[in-house]
Amino acid sequence: MAKYFDVHPDNPQPRTVSQVADSIRSGALIAYPTDSCYALGCRLGSRDSIDRIRAIRRLDDRHHFTLVCQDFAQLGQFVRVDNDVFRAIKASTPGSYTFILPATREVPRMLQHPKKKTVGVRIPDHVVTQALLAELGEPLLSSTLLLPDEEEPMTQGWEIKDRLDHVLDAVVDSGDCGTEPTTVIDFSGGEAAIVRKGAGDTSRFE
């Protein structure tokens, strides 16, 4: 049965945020809000939770997981970014974008694309997510909370709790955060390639 955390969208309660972070450190799989839509999240090294994300979303080993980072300094530990790409990403963050880039050795192999050795990274523009990342002190491994055979992600914390109570450890609810997932830009080939058009404006990458 998943714990339910009601978090203020503008002024997240420090004690509640700390409790969520402790749960993640203990290996919990959570559902949490972002600046695009709800996501599933866990610690980078939590193999059990990663397997559960794959099962919930029916993902194969070619799926790009995303490392949700607090800031650019943290992001730079996990992906290789050249100067031109650096400027493009810097100008777009924080925001509703996921960038696919070559992974560094800091990224566990099971999270990398098996052939390309890439991983998704993003810096969200969301008060609650940022508070959680600051408390956690490391990125969240994430995947959009989009269930198989459904066209849109779930947007209400109570609905997520009701439907996924048996497979999640915690639900963080700070109100509606929209239904549009991030825009995904693949920079692994050096040039910007738009993989998915979502919440982020794509004009600067076209």
Side-chain angles (χ1 to χ4, degrees), residues 28-191:
L29 174 60
I30 71 166
Y32 71 102
T34 75
D35 52 345
S36 57
C37 57
Y38 268 87
L40 297 168
C42 67
R43 261 191 114 171
L44 265 66
S46 181
R47 183 179 290 273
D48 173 68
S49 291
I50 294 165
D51 288 343
R52 288 158 67 193
I53 291 174
R54 289 189 188 279
I56 290 168
R57 293 204 54 202
R58 296 182 200 160
L59 302 173
D60 60 28
D61 62 0
R62 295 185 301 278
H63 175 75
H64 268 109
F65 281 105
T66 299
L67 304 183
V68 178
C69 302
Q70 183 184 359
D71 52 31
F72 216 94
Q74 192 176 73
L75 180 148
Q77 299 174 41
F78 297 92
V79 289
R80 297 195 300 276
V81 186
D82 66 27
N83 288 339
D84 290 340
V85 174
F86 174 89
R87 285 191 288 270
I89 295 177
K90 188 76 170 173
S92 307
T93 55
S96 301
Y97 297 92
T98 297
F99 300 100
I100 297 172
L101 289 159
T104 68
R105 292 181 180 179
E106 299 293 319
V107 180
R109 187 171 294 178
M110 64 180 171
L111 304 183
Q112 301 178 27
H113 188 283
K115 291 185 178 179
K116 298 179 181 179
K117 307 304 179 190
T118 49
V119 70
V121 287
R122 67 172 300 223
I123 303 171
D125 187 14
H126 192 278
V127 173
V128 174
T129 313
Q130 281 289 343
L132 181 56
L133 291 168
E135 179 67 26
L136 193 60
E138 61 184 69
L140 262 175
L141 171 72
S142 284
S143 182
T144 302
L145 209 178
L146 181 61
L147 297 181
D149 305 321
E150 295 196 7
E151 293 184 2
E152 290 190 345
M154 285 186 283
T155 62
Q156 303 290 340
W158 62 266
E159 180 190 13
I160 294 167
K161 162 89 166 134
D162 186 52
R163 290 187 61 183
L164 300 178
D165 200 31
H166 59 298
V167 292
L168 296 177
D169 299 306
V171 175
V172 179
D173 189 353
S174 63
D176 195 340
C177 62
T179 61
E180 207 169 11
T182 57
T183 289
V184 179
I185 310 293
D186 189 344
F187 273 115
S188 62
E191 299 287 329

